[in-house]
Amino acid sequence: MLTLFLQAQPQGSSSMMLIMMGVMFVGFYFLMIRPQMKKQKQEKNFQEELKVGTRVVLTSGLHGRIAQVQDDGFIIETLSGKLKFEKAAVSREMTQSRFGDKAKTAEKSADNKETVTEEKK
């Protein structure tokens, strides 16, 4: 008896099933697809706006400063030397997200020290 009940198709539910599938697709679009596309666009803009001298954190956790910008990546200057990374490897800008306004003043003072050192040479 149970097998007959499971095999019987409900009448008039094909249109209701199409409506439910449509509602699920719209829900997935607004809850998953659209936010992901927005995040990818923000990441691409962030990577394109990076310039020389910006302190960054890479996806591997490496901290460094951008020494050179190239078409396919960045040359990152760390304490151990200069390394080349893809643009996608840059996770976030360290100065803005971590230190806020303090980082801007620290960078200005560091730049001033570098110019004073260069003038002495």
Side-chain angles (χ1 to χ4, degrees):
M1 187 73 160
L2 183 62
T3 57
L4 291 175
F5 178 71
L6 294 175
Q7 290 177 355
Q9 293 185 5
Q11 297 175 354
S13 69
S14 62
S15 62
M16 185 64 154
M17 189 165 189
L18 287 175
I19 292 172
M20 290 301 291
M21 292 291 279
V23 168
M24 286 176 50
F25 179 74
V26 170
F28 277 123
Y29 177 77
F30 282 107
L31 294 176
M32 297 180 75
I33 298 169
R34 189 168 178 239
Q36 184 65 27
M37 288 174 28
K38 184 177 179 182
K39 184 178 178 182
Q40 286 176 346
K41 186 177 179 181
Q42 287 176 340
E43 280 186 35
K44 185 176 180 180
N45 289 338
F46 167 72
Q47 291 169 355
E48 294 297 324
E49 291 175 359
L50 290 174
K51 56 184 180 258
V52 175
T54 305
R55 292 180 182 218
V56 293
V57 178
L58 303 179
T59 54
S60 62
L62 184 72
H63 293 237
R65 182 179 289 186
I66 297 176
Q68 187 178 11
V69 178
Q70 297 177 342
D71 290 337
D72 60 342
F74 297 110
I75 303 292
I76 305 292
E77 184 178 1
T78 64
L79 293 176
S80 61
K82 293 183 180 182
L83 304 167
K84 182 177 180 179
F85 287 94
E86 296 290 324
K87 287 186 176 185
V90 176
S91 174
R92 60 189 164 107
E93 184 178 359
M94 186 176 73
T95 53
Q96 291 297 322
S97 63
R98 193 158 205 202
F99 300 110
D101 292 333
K102 292 179 185 177
K104 290 180 184 177
T105 57
E107 281 185 12
K108 287 180 184 177
S109 64
D111 290 340
N112 289 340
K113 288 179 183 177
E114 289 177 6
T115 55
V116 168
T117 307
E118 290 174 2
E119 289 175 2
K120 289 181 180 179
K121 291 179 182 181

